[in-house]
Amino acid sequence: MPRREHCRPVAVGTTAGQVEDFGSRAPRSEVLALRALKLGDLLVAVPAIRGIHRALPEHRLVLAVPGWLEPIVELIGGVDVLLPTPGLDDPLPIAPGRIDIAVNLHGNGPESRGIIEALGARRVVGHRNELRDGPEWEDGVLERYRWARLVTAHGMPADPEDVLLLPPAAPAVIAHATVVHVGAFYGSREWPVERFAAVASALDALGHRVVFTGSGAERARAEHAASLAGLPDSTVLAGTLALDEFAALIREARLVVSADTGAAHLASAYRTPSVVLFGPAPVEEWGPPADGPHVTLTDARVRRGDAFAAEPDPAILAVTVDDVLGAVARLESRVATG
């Protein structure tokens, strides 16, 4: 893990140019990496981002990701500028020819390729397509491996297990908590709130300091879980934490119980013991590092695989409360024995 002093403050560019005009001349050669997705997607690209930085230390590294991820970008190390990029609907506000090397860490579809090509970079790093050479896109592989393999093939060696983040500047609002993360971006990943409540109640009885997390939109779900578990409103942190505060909470947690979401990927990034429930996404593509203190639960035999469905995938519904509590017991035994 890089030492703290290796993390330079991240300058935030804006489309309005308040901080930096990306149409002006760059202070030095720049490499831009595009990853306009969510928290978990950013975290699985960390090994590739680190590979880019190590291979091109003389370049200024611009990371095009959604602006709300800035607190996490600061914890990667080596990123010089965050260019807020909420999606692929608009071209990047950068003068053509300014970027020296453009890296497509987003995908290999026409939208992301079009944005990369519009930069007019001297060199483009991406998967093979009708315009560019590169490694072939592989289906069914671990996402961390996919992007580490891509940059490695282009001469920027990356280790797919290099996921550890720097510690946030401030300590956790609650230390050694057991984090029950009730949220998920899509309904396909939502484990029933009654089951989260049952797990929380059992862990509370075992002496865990349980807190419920999620986004502001998921606060009602977290409050419902706390109520069903017989735990006070003070255990509900959903919607109250800034992203760096959430990262600190996960880093210092005793345990994280979550669906396959950003919370689970943060647990991987800090080697925090976690039980991760998988629905539409295969564990072999999105699972945590195999050598970490993590247990994944799913039933691939019944997986429907529709990530955007409103209803929970049968693979996550197949996971029971007893499955989760058994996984917690195994994890804590493993941690206790070193």
Side-chain angles (χ1 to χ4, degrees):
M1 179 173 174
R3 294 185 300 170
R4 182 70 179 174
E5 61 266 29
H6 288 178
C7 182
R8 293 165 289 181
V10 177
V12 181
T14 70
T15 55
Q18 294 97 324
V19 176
E20 177 164 355
D21 177 6
F22 278 94
S24 63
R25 183 180 296 275
R28 67 178 193 270
S29 294
E30 291 177 315
V31 53
L32 179 142
L34 173 68
R35 186 72 172 167
L37 295 162
K38 299 184 290 297
L39 174 59
D41 303 288
L42 171 62
L43 293 175
V44 297
V46 165
I49 294 167
R50 294 243 174 88
I52 295 167
H53 170 65
R54 285 192 301 266
L56 301 167
E58 75 285 357
H59 280 65
R60 200 165 74 133
L61 176 52
V62 179
L63 190 58
V65 299
W68 64 272
L69 291 171
E70 178 191 358
I72 302 301
V73 172
E74 292 180 347
L75 305 178
I76 296 173
V79 177
D80 296 292
V81 178
L82 185 158
L83 176 61
T85 308
L88 304 180
D89 292 336
D90 300 304
L92 297 178
I94 300 178
R98 167 169 168 159
I99 297 298
D100 184 43
I101 303 172
V103 185
N104 189 349
L105 295 182
H106 191 98
N108 196 33
E111 296 86 358
S112 62
R113 296 203 316 258
I115 285 177
I116 290 292
E117 292 295 338
L119 294 172
R122 176 185 62 84
R123 178 185 173 197
V124 170
V125 172
H127 287 90
R128 182 172 300 165
N129 58 59
E130 62 274 14
L131 297 177
R132 302 282 181 176
D133 196 13
E136 293 284 355
W137 181 275
E138 290 184 271
D139 290 321
V141 300
L142 189 68
E143 279 293 296
R144 295 191 309 277
Y145 165 80
R146 179 191 308 287
W147 303 111
R149 170 180 174 266
L150 171 67
V151 298
T152 297
H154 284 275
M156 308 175 205
D159 177 1
E161 302 305 305
D162 183 16
V163 300
L164 299 183
L165 294 178
L166 297 164
V173 294
I174 299 174
H176 208 54
T178 287
V179 177
V180 176
H181 188 78
V182 303
F185 196 80
Y186 297 108
S188 61
R189 299 182 184 185
E190 284 189 345
W191 202 47
V193 68
E194 296 84 2
R195 300 188 200 179
F196 274 123
V199 167
S201 178
L203 294 179
D204 176 71
L206 292 172
H208 288 245
R209 187 175 184 182
V210 175
V211 296
F212 297 91
T213 59
S215 68
E218 294 156 348
R219 183 170 177 85
R221 179 173 164 85
E223 290 173 335
H224 189 199
S227 175
L228 290 174
L231 296 176
D233 290 344
S234 59
T235 62
V236 179
L237 301 182
T240 69
L241 301 176
L243 192 52
D244 54 346
E245 294 174 323
F246 183 50
L249 179 73
I250 296 289
R251 179 177 181 268
E252 298 182 33
R254 173 179 177 177
L255 171 72
V256 175
V257 179
S258 172
D260 171 32
T261 66
H265 290 288
L266 278 173
S268 295
Y270 287 120
R271 292 187 64 86
T272 300
S274 65
V275 178
V276 187
L277 287 59
F278 278 78
V283 175
E284 56 270 22
E285 295 181 27
W286 290 93
D291 66 345
H294 316 291
V295 175
T296 59
L297 299 173
T298 191
D299 187 345
R301 296 170 300 177
V302 297
R303 178 180 297 124
R304 186 170 56 228
D306 182 358
F308 307 110
E311 298 300 320
D313 193 282
I316 198 170
L317 291 179
V319 178
T320 68
V321 170
D322 285 343
D323 290 335
V324 174
L325 295 176
V328 171
R330 295 195 302 274
L331 260 182
E332 299 228 310
S333 175
R334 189 191 310 171
V335 172
T337 57

